[in-house]
Amino acid sequence: MADTQSPGAFVEFERVQKSYDGENLVVKDLNLIMPKGEFLTMLGPSGSGKTTCLMMLAGFETATHGDIRLDGVSINNIPPHKRGIGMVFQNYALFPHMTVAENLSFPLEVRKIGKSEREQKVKRVLDMVQMGEFGGRRPAQLSGGQQQRIALARALVFEAELVLMDEPLGALDKQLREHMQFEIKRIADNLGITVVYVTHDQTEALTMSDRVAVFDDGRIQQLAPPDKLYEAPENSFVAQFIGENNTLEGVVKEIKGDTALVRLDDGELIDCKPVNVTQPGERTRVSIRPERVEYNKSRLHADAHTLKAEVLEFIYMGDIFRTRLRVAGNEDFIIKTRNAPDQVRLQPGTQIEIGWLPEDCRALDA
Amino acid sequence: MSDQTTSGRVLAADGTPLKTSLARALRRQKLRALALIAPLLLFVLITFIAPIADMLFRSVENQIVVETLPQTVSALADWDPESGDTPGEDVYRALAADLKIAAKAKTHTRLGTRLNYELTGASSLFRKSGRQVKKMDLEGDASIKDAFIKIDKDWGKPDIWRTIQTYSPRYTNGYFLNAVDMQKGPDGPEARPENQQIYLMLFGRTLFMSLMITGSCILLGYPVAWILANLPARSANMLMILVLLPFWTSLLVRTSAWKVMLQQQGVINDVLVWLGLVGDDARLVMINNQFGTIVAMTHILLPFMILPMYSVMQTIQPTYLRAAKSLGATNWTAFWRVYFPQSVPGIGAGSILVFILSIGYYITPEIVGGNTGTFISNRIAYHISSSLNWGLAAALGAILLAVVLLLYYAYDKIVGIDNVKLGG
């Protein structure tokens, strides 16, 4: 199989399909190439096929069609225990009848590693996750965050080069989750391991990953670094799913170079950046990020297009203001402004004009 | 802790100690809880615990001798059974007086039955003497002793007197000695003659066979419970009905079915003969022995093993096995090191249930046990309903109860009863 390997690929999915019932495809024609040392997140709503992909990589599900390669070797027919892939499970799956140290030395024992070397490795990995004191405890005596650290340590202790994580932070509270995101990222970078991380939390995906694969309907909708994903979504699903997004619907009137003229449904004409519209007459969804909308006329760019808007609701959120507007018939148009000393707090009922740069306004598929 | 006084006791807002205050607040709840369980508690007390206590008391009770023969017992107190002689004339006189009263009240036959447990022949001796003692003249000078020996020459031997003297106290350990194959001898407890020993062997057999049954139930039940716990809910329910089906069939029907299956002219033997595996003249003996009892009781008690195992296995998440495999364990290692230890509480719960149920089982060994497959409970039932030696039956029952409690205690010490789960 080595001859079909793409250069630089460590993990490779090639035309992978998966069906459970022989009627519906859960994963449709998946192609993915990951270089060594990458932190890749599979992000998507539940039922989008991301966990199935992870399970196929781990070996708990078999691909119905296609090839999965690890370091150039097809692993379709290798049972999970011979793949040498570390895995962190959603509910940690720490063995409740073993102590923390026994949990950690389990993968070393089944690899027939000697006792002294086992103890050494367990100690090192415990120190790495800052849990050195806890070797003698049972998992039930640990807090959620501590269990999470142990689960991570157990996936790392046998020095797997590829570690899979299936929503590992789902059960933690917000503050701990943010802290652990940082921890996992730090450890992964230090060890230089390749990580495939599954989550449905987009903040997690954006803050941790080198690249994010957005899954929907069994396909990767976009595979890009976090900033590209947020700022330049390639279709309206990604625009909707990642971050907050305002949508205006309309029809493409004409396309000139990298500017598309769109007639919104209430008759207003705006300039957009055409992303996946190709010809006039096509229906389109125009996407604008809330923080790219400006209502302070003095700050608006000279050639910025403006629209009339009515303030419906003003929400004070501490660091930012969140204002809901009616724009071109859409009553859920959100703008976000920084809480700066000179910032105006818009009162409901006020009529204002809003504007944005044409390149922040992306015409996507309907 | 602003309400803490200098003495360190915590006070409630009104100054009473917090503990008192709490106890008062909880008292109503406790009373209500008590009232809710009171009907059942009374029912169990009256219909179950009281009769059992009364029955167990019979294992030491021995009022009948001193109540039927009060004068004889006190006259016999000075007699030395070691002398080899019969007691003096005064004892016979006392016996005659006691028996006259007893014969009128017709209690002498009951005493005879009681003493017959200890000395064979005592029953007929008392029945005969009771009839004739009425004619005896206590006023005359004729020797009462001779008159008694004339009624039955056994009265002229020390044996009957020794028995009466030994069993004259109001309470006795004789039944318990009997239940462990011993008897009261001149020098205290001694072993019974070998041909009369039966109960220790029966206790041992009961324990051994109960262990065999428990072991077979574990071996047969574990895979079934595993499948039940790992199937999708629909098929698991279907299979569960099959497991529970025996529960809904009469115990007698199931036991009799095994009789049909296992007997020498039965289904299994016929099939084996037809296949030529067994000669027609060498049909296997599979019933009315230990084998038959173990087979039938394993079948009957299997659901009691499967259900607790199943409910424990249901709580073991499949991700544990996946985790073990992802860490490099083979299927077998993953099962043995990760799954099995977590299922042990289910095995423990099932084993306790099956073992305790089987140790006191009666009907099945009675029907399919023959001579070599009967349990101690069958002997207890025999003494309750046939030989009417309730004292011995009570002593055997008390020992059985004590053995079960002891095993339960040992199990608690070794495995820990907290590790037993019947569900969730």
Side-chain angles (χ1 to χ4, degrees):
Chain A
M1 288 288 172
D3 53 341
T4 57
Q5 189 191 357
S6 314
F10 183 56
V11 178
E12 194 174 358
F13 284 80
E14 191 186 321
R15 313 217 59 177
V16 171
Q17 293 184 315
K18 173 72 183 173
S19 172
Y20 287 105
D21 53 7
E23 288 170 16
N24 303 303
L25 282 171
V26 186
V27 174
K28 299 169 184 165
D29 195 21
L30 181 84
N31 293 286
L32 178 68
I33 293 174
M34 270 180 80
K36 208 164 195 158
E38 187 179 47
F39 196 118
L40 182 127
T41 298
M42 294 177 169
L43 175 69
S46 50
S48 60
K50 57 189 194 303
T51 301
T52 306
C53 283
L54 194 77
M55 290 302 167
M56 285 193 285
L57 189 51
F60 298 125
E61 303 286 357
T62 42
T64 313
H65 176 82
D67 214 10
I68 302 172
R69 284 189 288 271
L70 180 62
D71 212 6
V73 181
S74 171
I75 55 172
N76 285 24
N77 295 316
I78 297 178
H81 67 270
K82 288 190 181 151
R83 295 194 181 189
I85 298 175
M87 184 150 181
V88 181
F89 289 83
Q90 195 167 5
N91 295 312
Y92 318 134
L94 296 175
F95 307 139
H97 59 291
M98 297 184 190
T99 63
V100 165
E102 285 166 346
N103 262 288
L104 294 180
S105 83
F106 181 82
L108 304 174
E109 275 171 52
V110 299
R111 286 178 170 72
K112 311 242 186 308
I113 289 173
K115 190 159 185 276
S116 57
E117 196 184 343
R118 277 206 314 259
E119 282 169 0
Q120 207 179 335
K121 287 190 175 189
V122 167
K123 194 185 171 317
R124 194 164 61 210
V125 79
L126 272 176
D127 288 339
M128 188 169 71
V129 295
Q130 294 156 27
M131 293 284 289
E133 310 294 305
F134 295 85
R137 301 244 191 129
R138 300 234 169 209
Q141 296 168 308
L142 303 178
S143 70
Q146 291 168 333
Q147 290 185 30
Q148 163 65 67
R149 282 163 191 269
I150 300 303
L152 180 64
R154 191 176 63 176
L156 298 173
V157 71
F158 57 98
E159 284 152 23
E161 293 190 315
L162 174 62
V163 175
L164 313 181
M165 303 192 189
D166 183 13
E167 308 213 12
L169 305 179
L172 302 181
D173 61 61
K174 188 169 174 288
Q175 218 169 355
L176 202 54
R177 194 157 61 216
E178 280 165 7
H179 180 71
M180 283 308 295
Q181 287 170 9
F182 169 75
E183 280 283 311
I184 291 176
K185 180 71 179 151
R186 181 181 62 85
I187 290 171
D189 284 348
N190 283 350
L191 296 176
I193 51 173
T194 311
V195 178
V196 180
Y197 190 100
V198 163
T199 184
H200 63 262
D201 180 336
Q202 37 138 331
T203 329
E204 216 164 274
L206 293 182
T207 51
M208 297 174 80
S209 324
D210 297 328
R211 280 196 301 166
V212 179
V214 181
F215 274 71
D216 186 48
D217 194 28
R219 287 179 204 281
I220 294 181
Q221 301 290 336
Q222 188 171 357
L223 174 62
D227 55 342
K228 278 287 272 296
L229 204 64
Y230 185 80
E231 285 164 29
E234 278 169 9
N235 57 41
S236 54
F237 174 81
V238 177
Q240 290 291 339
F241 193 75
I242 306 288
E244 212 166 357
N245 185 59
N246 292 307
T247 308
L248 298 173
E249 298 202 26
V251 180
V252 179
K253 194 156 177 273
E254 58 177 70
I255 299 178
K256 265 190 225 151
D258 54 357
T259 312
L261 192 63
V262 173
R263 183 190 295 280
L264 297 181
D265 286 354
D266 72 336
E268 197 87 43
L269 280 170
I270 54 172
D271 282 338
C272 305
K273 182 177 170 151
V275 179
N276 49 7
V277 287
T278 47
Q279 53 201 7
E282 240 181 295
R283 274 203 74 80
T284 179
R285 284 183 183 182
V286 179
S287 141
I288 312 118
R289 293 289 180 198
E291 66 277 11
R292 296 291 166 103
V293 180
E294 185 55 73
Y295 59 88
N296 191 336
K297 273 212 162 145
S298 59
R299 288 196 210 157
L300 268 175
H301 205 267
D303 60 348
H305 184 82
T306 61
L307 280 179
K308 283 197 173 60
E310 184 190 346
V311 179
L312 295 176
E313 198 176 3
F314 174 83
I315 300 168
Y316 177 81
M317 293 179 75
D319 54 346
I320 56 163
F321 301 147
R322 194 181 138 98
T323 314
R324 188 161 66 86
L325 309 174
R326 182 189 292 128
V327 177
N330 179 354
E331 295 199 349
D332 279 318
F333 198 96
I334 304 292
I335 59 175
K336 284 180 184 170
T337 44
R338 201 166 58 84
N339 183 359
D342 60 334
Q343 195 64 268
V344 187
R345 300 188 182 192
L346 293 166
Q347 295 306 310
T350 322
Q351 299 287 338
I352 55 169
E353 274 193 43
I354 55 170
W356 51 75
L357 294 174
E359 56 263 41
D360 287 334
C361 169
R362 299 168 65 82
L364 305 168
D365 54 306
Chain B
M1 287 291 121
S2 56
D3 297 328
Q4 202 153 3
T5 58
T6 45
S7 65
R9 286 209 305 177
V10 186
L11 298 184
D14 60 355
T16 52
L18 194 57
K19 281 208 166 132
T20 322
S21 203
L22 183 67
R24 198 181 301 142
L26 292 179
R27 193 175 305 141
R28 269 184 79 89
Q29 285 180 23
K30 281 184 186 159
L31 282 176
R32 191 180 305 152
L34 196 67
L36 284 174
I37 61 162
L40 178 62
L41 194 67
L42 283 176
F43 174 76
V44 170
L45 262 178
I46 293 169
T47 62
F48 191 70
I49 295 180
I52 283 182
D54 178 60
M55 199 66 209
L56 290 180
F57 179 62
R58 282 170 196 266
S59 61
V60 292
E61 189 220 14
N62 191 41
Q63 316 264 25
I64 188 164
V65 178
V66 71
E67 269 172 13
T68 318
L69 307 173
Q71 297 173 49
T72 319
V73 165
S74 61
L76 204 55
D78 303 330
W79 177 64
D80 175 17
E82 299 302 306
S83 63
D85 289 333
T86 48
E89 177 72 16
D90 55 327
V91 176
Y92 285 91
R93 240 168 223 286
L95 178 66
D98 284 337
L99 270 184
K100 271 180 187 284
I101 300 167
K104 216 172 275 174
K106 296 201 184 345
T107 54
H108 65 293
T109 50
R110 279 166 51 194
L111 177 65
T113 312
R114 165 69 187 94
L115 289 177
N116 201 54
Y117 302 147
E118 317 299 339
L119 184 73
T120 316
S123 181
S124 63
L125 180 66
F126 272 86
R127 202 171 301 124
K128 204 193 292 176
S129 310
R131 271 199 306 272
Q132 304 202 8
V133 79
K134 294 174 188 163
K135 290 177 273 177
M136 233 177 246
D137 179 17
L138 293 180
E139 306 304 319
D141 291 332
S143 166
I144 298 295
K145 184 173 180 174
D146 291 342
F148 266 107
I149 294 171
K150 210 176 136 195
I151 292 171
D152 195 314
K153 57 182 186 312
D154 279 349
W155 284 118
K157 294 175 187 164
D159 291 6
I160 182 69
W161 293 108
R162 194 181 297 137
T163 308
I164 291 175
Q165 197 189 36
T166 312
Y167 290 93
S168 57
R170 286 180 177 270
Y171 300 99
T172 179
N173 57 3
Y175 292 122
F176 275 101
L177 288 176
N178 194 352
V180 292
D181 291 336
M182 294 173 91
Q183 62 188 0
K184 285 187 169 208
D187 312 317
E190 60 182 31
R192 273 180 190 261
E194 208 132 304
N195 60 356
Q196 290 180 24
Q197 293 185 5
I198 171 170
Y199 299 114
L200 284 183
M201 186 272 287
L202 269 180
F203 274 118
R205 183 201 283 165
T206 305
L207 288 178
F208 168 75
M209 287 178 65
S210 299
L211 280 176
M212 291 290 291
I213 291 160
T214 310
S216 327
C217 280
I218 294 175
L219 287 182
L220 293 177
Y222 197 91
V224 178
W226 159 278
I227 288 179
L228 271 176
N230 287 289
L231 276 181
R234 263 181 71 110
S235 355
N237 284 339
M238 193 61 216
L239 197 60
M240 183 58 102
I241 289 174
L242 294 181
V243 169
L244 289 176
L245 205 59
F247 262 148
W248 304 332
T249 320
S250 154
L251 180 65
L252 280 170
V253 171
R254 279 181 280 162
T255 309
S256 310
W258 277 112
K259 203 146 187 146
V260 174
M261 293 289 289
L262 295 174
Q263 62 188 312
Q264 285 196 282
Q265 302 301 322
V267 179
I268 292 179
N269 263 315
D270 280 351
V271 170
L272 289 176
V273 167
W274 180 73
L275 289 172
L277 294 172
V278 166
D280 200 11
D281 49 348
R283 284 169 178 258
L284 302 175
V285 184
M286 293 185 291
I287 199 89
N288 297 329
N289 57 13
Q290 292 198 5
F291 179 80
T293 310
I294 290 174
V295 168
M297 282 184 61
T298 300
H299 170 239
I300 286 161
L301 295 175
L302 200 53
F304 291 100
M305 184 64 84
I306 293 176
L307 291 178
M309 279 192 194
Y310 165 63
S311 65
V312 167
M313 287 181 184
Q314 251 189 331
T315 64
I316 305 175
Q317 291 164 11
T319 46
Y320 287 126
L321 278 180
R322 287 189 161 188
K325 283 182 210 167
S326 84
L327 294 170
T330 58
N331 284 340
W332 168 253
T333 314
F335 167 77
W336 183 246
R337 296 276 318 270
V338 174
Y339 194 90
F340 182 77
Q342 294 189 62
S343 68
V344 163
I347 301 179
S351 300
I352 287 195
L353 264 179
V354 169
F355 186 78
I356 289 181
L357 279 174
S358 63
I359 210 172
Y361 228 70
Y362 165 69
I363 291 192
T364 305
E366 183 73 20
I367 297 176
V368 301
N371 279 329
T372 56
T374 48
F375 280 22
I376 191 70
S377 48
N378 301 99
R379 201 65 198 168
I380 295 176
Y382 165 77
H383 283 307
I384 291 278
S385 57
S386 299
S387 82
L388 299 182
N389 190 351
W390 285 14
L392 181 57
L396 290 169
I399 292 175
L400 188 60
L401 185 63
V403 167
V404 169
L405 290 178
L406 196 74
L407 288 170
Y408 187 80
Y409 173 79
Y411 186 90
D412 184 28
K413 282 284 148 203
I414 299 166
V415 183
I417 216 69
D418 302 345
N419 284 332
V420 169
K421 279 192 207 156
L422 287 172

